[in-house]
Amino acid sequence: MTDTQVREKTPVDFWFDPLCPWAWMTSRWMLEVEKVRDVEVRWHVMSLAVLNENKLDELPERYRELLGPKGWAPVRVVIAAQQKFGEEVTGKLYTALGTKIHNEDRGATREVIADALAEVGLPAELLAYADSDEYDEVLRDSHNDGIERVGQEVGTPVISVPGADGEEVAFFGPVVTPAPRGEAAARLWDGTLLVASTPGFYEIKRTRTQGPIFE
């Protein structure tokens, strides 16, 4: 490869809900992977509120509260920002929101959303979309685009990459804590692609014994 040649990066489509701490951990890992592998993350929203809207009665009270009206606010603001200011703001706003919601343990309050908008230079008026259904159809389309690739039995994150013979490979996860750094991030990425691209492979799982470690 000469200096004039540019290596084409592998696109990685990543669906997230800002409220999910495990998606947050995975997203921080993906940013590490961008540094050590030729990949480019494309950020998309999905919604745990949408995913669970028909089964709220089956969930514990703490989840019913989180996935009710409160759960719509962050993702509605992100999708509105994306529609008004372009795809490139999605990942930046997610990082600002996730840092405040998870690392700083401030929760998904209106103040937190407002602070995140200000941090990435987006207008404060976008906060009004927390209570607006104007872009709910776009939100649902984005959500369905991700979830239909892996099935209704999973949540966020969803990751999709080009697989063998150019066919798409999509999977839920990986769920990991803390987010691996450097070469450890690269090894997990390589292994994830290896198993996800194996025909007929569906799942590796064990019981989580540790909560998210935010660094």
Side-chain angles (χ1 to χ4, degrees):
M1 179 174 164
T2 67
D3 292 339
T4 58
Q5 291 176 311
V6 178
R7 297 179 64 178
E8 184 176 351
K9 293 188 176 183
T10 299
V12 181
D13 290 291
F14 189 107
W15 281 263
F16 67 91
D17 184 319
L19 293 177
C20 180
W22 294 106
W24 175 246
M25 301 301 299
T26 307
S27 72
R28 300 310 92 183
W29 163 67
M30 279 306 316
L31 291 182
E32 282 292 307
V33 174
E34 279 192 320
K35 300 174 185 177
V36 292
R37 291 291 184 267
D38 290 320
V39 304
E40 181 178 14
V41 183
R42 301 185 299 203
W43 304 99
H44 310 275
V45 294
M46 62 180 295
S47 170
L48 292 173
V50 171
L51 186 67
N52 293 282
E53 62 184 344
N54 295 321
K55 47 188 175 184
L56 284 178
D57 292 342
E58 304 170 15
L59 300 176
E61 177 62 32
R62 66 183 184 278
Y63 291 121
R64 289 201 298 271
E65 179 182 359
L66 181 66
L67 300 177
K70 183 178 180 181
W72 286 89
V75 74
R76 276 176 164 169
V77 172
V78 174
I79 201 72
Q82 181 188 87
Q83 293 301 299
K84 288 180 171 291
F85 296 96
E87 299 281 347
E88 64 274 10
V89 306
T90 310
K92 296 175 183 178
L93 183 53
Y94 179 33
T95 289
L97 280 168
T99 300
K100 299 176 193 314
I101 292 171
H102 303 298
N103 293 57
E104 298 175 11
D105 195 24
R106 293 175 58 188
T109 66
R110 302 306 167 94
E111 180 184 6
V112 161
I113 298 173
D115 287 350
L117 289 170
E119 181 177 316
V120 298
L122 291 169
E125 290 76 13
L126 283 171
L127 184 59
Y129 288 95
D131 300 308
S132 170
D133 62 1
E134 181 174 343
Y135 292 110
D136 279 7
E137 183 176 353
V138 180
L139 168 58
R140 288 179 183 275
D141 286 344
S142 179
H143 172 92
N144 290 332
D145 184 27
I147 206 69
E148 287 174 359
R149 301 173 190 233
V150 290
Q152 297 293 328
E153 292 77 25
V154 302
T156 175
V158 170
I159 296 178
S160 178
V161 298
D165 301 323
E167 294 185 2
E168 174 196 288
V169 177
F171 51 88
F172 163 69
V175 175
V176 61
T177 187
R181 307 285 183 177
E183 187 56 31
R187 289 196 302 270
L188 177 57
W189 174 250
D190 294 342
T192 299
L193 288 187
L194 179 63
V195 297
S197 61
T198 301
F201 176 84
Y202 290 103
E203 185 174 8
I204 289 178
K205 190 171 183 178
R206 62 175 177 167
T207 300
R208 291 195 298 265
T209 58
Q210 190 173 42
I213 299 173
F214 305 121
E215 298 176 336

